Amino acid sequence: MEYLEFELPIKELEDQLQKCRIIGEESEVDVTETCANIEKKLADTQKEIYKNLTPWQRVQMSRHPDRPYVLDYIRAICGESFLELHGDRSFKDDKAMIGGLGKIGDQSFMFIGQQKGYNTKTRQYRNFGMANPEGYRKALRLMKSAEKFGIPVVTLIDTPGAFPGLEAEERGQGEAIARNILEMTRLKVPIITIIVGEGASGGALGIGVGDVVLMLENTWYSVISPESCSSILWRSWEFKEQAADALKLTATDMKKQKLVDEIIKEPLGGAHRDREKTFAAVSNAITKNFEELKNLSPKDLVAKRMDKYSHMGVFKG
């Protein structure tokens, strides 16, 4: 397992515990008490570190190389029932944006999300989770198909932003994202949106309009990344920690601002520390919220969604 810089005290204690257990196994020395003391210290250290994470540390957690990605969630939640669908019927199939039909129990859902890679080769293949216009057009095509057959939509967000290359702009990146936002506000089926990693800029918003928007505990959602914000305001990336603090991008901040509806708790140490528990929490959140939305008529669903977003950013002086 890889450790972030602020997790190094935990690594040291885990290494000590492992060595202590090896000594106990390979010799006749009774190390039970020593191991128990290290375990207690380890548990206390973990609580101390993870309960007091700064916004920048949460950003780092959301990018942890061991953290599960969108396809991991879909495969764990849907199992063999997931059928991936491809292409935008216009230009090509964007590998950074994935989507398809899957079941939770007996209920079908249309899953859509950004997929990152696990190593250099797959990161290039997935374009680092940064979708091109055809990715957003594919997502919209799948949403429209779901609407046609009355299938609820689940979007899973994990992107550092939409691809900012020249070719993406030439093919209408801004228009594709704007079109998705417009169409999602009036889609006649329930939309459940979950931020499972990074939720950056318009790249996230392109599939981020939902009846309910949920965030995993160690994720972030913002108009700009801390590094980019730092480079604009201070002409340097060195102030990314101050930028992360000022942007109010954590799940707690977003809930306080009423921009997201619910925070999904992660296991102590992050989603990667206990993947199965995280997958179960996400699956339960989808099921619970769908149960609350499924009895609304299409007219009420759209009216409620419009009302939700029209009230955002309204402040009383």
Side-chain angles (χ1 to χ4, degrees):
M1 182 175 285
E2 291 192 42
Y3 293 83
L4 301 169
E5 195 180 334
F6 64 86
E7 293 179 304
L8 291 178
I10 294 167
K11 183 183 186 300
E12 285 175 25
L13 287 165
E14 285 182 342
D15 289 345
Q16 282 178 30
L17 184 60
Q18 194 176 356
K19 283 174 189 170
C20 185
R21 284 172 178 162
I22 290 167
I23 290 167
E25 286 166 12
E26 294 179 353
S27 69
E28 293 178 10
V29 180
D30 184 8
V31 293
T32 313
E33 194 179 334
T34 310
C35 285
N37 289 336
I38 296 171
E39 280 174 356
K40 186 181 183 305
K41 195 176 179 185
L42 176 61
D44 292 343
T45 306
Q46 284 177 324
K47 278 181 190 169
E48 184 64 29
I49 288 174
Y50 294 125
K51 296 290 182 193
N52 299 294
L53 292 177
T54 66
W56 172 243
Q57 286 169 343
R58 297 234 185 243
V59 171
Q60 289 177 292
M61 290 283 278
S62 75
R63 297 170 177 168
H64 198 289
D66 296 327
R67 195 175 175 85
Y69 294 136
V70 167
L71 266 176
D72 297 320
Y73 285 97
I74 293 173
R75 283 172 182 152
I77 291 167
C78 302
E80 294 295 312
S81 72
F82 180 62
L83 173 68
E84 189 174 351
L85 302 169
H86 300 272
D88 71 336
R89 300 291 185 269
S90 177
F91 185 69
K92 69 171 186 177
D93 183 40
D94 190 336
K95 306 299 183 196
M97 185 75 76
I98 56 138
L101 291 162
K103 282 189 169 187
I104 301 177
D106 294 327
Q107 176 61 48
S108 294
F109 292 90
M110 180 67 81
F111 287 90
I112 297 165
Q114 293 106 345
Q115 174 67 16
K116 293 176 176 176
Y118 300 93
N119 52 35
T120 306
K121 197 172 181 180
T122 55
R123 281 176 193 133
Q124 287 177 323
Y125 178 72
R126 297 288 181 186
N127 200 30
F128 300 87
M130 296 186 291
N132 278 283
E134 52 272 18
Y136 291 99
R137 290 177 182 133
K138 170 165 81 170
L140 182 58
R141 179 179 78 79
L142 298 183
M143 288 181 217
K144 285 292 185 184
S145 295
E147 182 183 50
K148 184 179 177 181
F149 296 105
I151 297 167
V153 174
V154 175
T155 63
L156 302 168
I157 295 172
D158 185 11
T159 180
F163 184 59
L166 181 64
E167 62 271 32
E169 298 299 339
E170 286 172 345
R171 292 198 298 276
Q173 185 72 287
E175 187 277 338
I177 291 170
R179 170 68 57 188
N180 276 23
I181 293 169
L182 170 67
E183 295 292 349
M184 285 182 87
T185 56
R186 57 194 190 191
L187 207 70
K188 293 182 176 68
V189 289
I191 309 171
I192 298 164
T193 296
I194 308 173
I195 294 103
V196 296
E198 299 184 89
S201 192
L205 277 181
I207 57 166
V209 179
D211 296 297
V212 286
V213 181
L214 319 175
M215 282 180 81
L216 280 165
E217 194 179 0
N218 294 310
T219 61
W220 62 278
Y221 199 19
S222 174
V223 70
I224 194 169
S225 71
E227 294 94 331
S228 299
C229 177
S230 174
S231 66
I232 291 168
L233 294 181
W234 290 283
R235 306 283 180 216
S236 165
W237 276 27
E238 287 181 21
F239 298 91
K240 53 187 180 290
E241 292 184 40
Q242 289 96 307
D245 198 39
L247 283 166
K248 303 294 179 200
L249 42 65
T250 66
T252 311
D253 290 322
M254 295 298 286
K255 179 86 164 58
K256 205 178 283 181
Q257 299 284 353
K258 296 184 179 169
L259 298 173
V260 302
D261 303 291
E262 192 181 314
I263 299 169
I264 301 171
K265 291 283 286 180
E266 290 185 26
L268 191 68
H272 56 284
R273 285 272 178 169
D274 190 342
R275 285 175 166 235
E276 297 310 314
K277 194 174 177 183
T278 308
F279 297 149
V282 170
S283 179
N284 292 339
I286 292 169
T287 307
K288 179 181 79 106
N289 283 287
F290 175 64
E291 287 298 317
E292 291 170 12
L293 293 168
K294 71 177 184 182
N295 294 323
L296 291 173
S297 69
K299 190 178 176 183
D300 289 343
L301 206 59
V302 173
K304 205 173 172 189
R305 195 183 303 143
M306 291 275 199
D307 195 48
K308 170 188 168 80
Y309 282 91
S310 64
H311 278 85
M312 285 183 184
V314 176
F315 291 91
K316 289 177 183 175

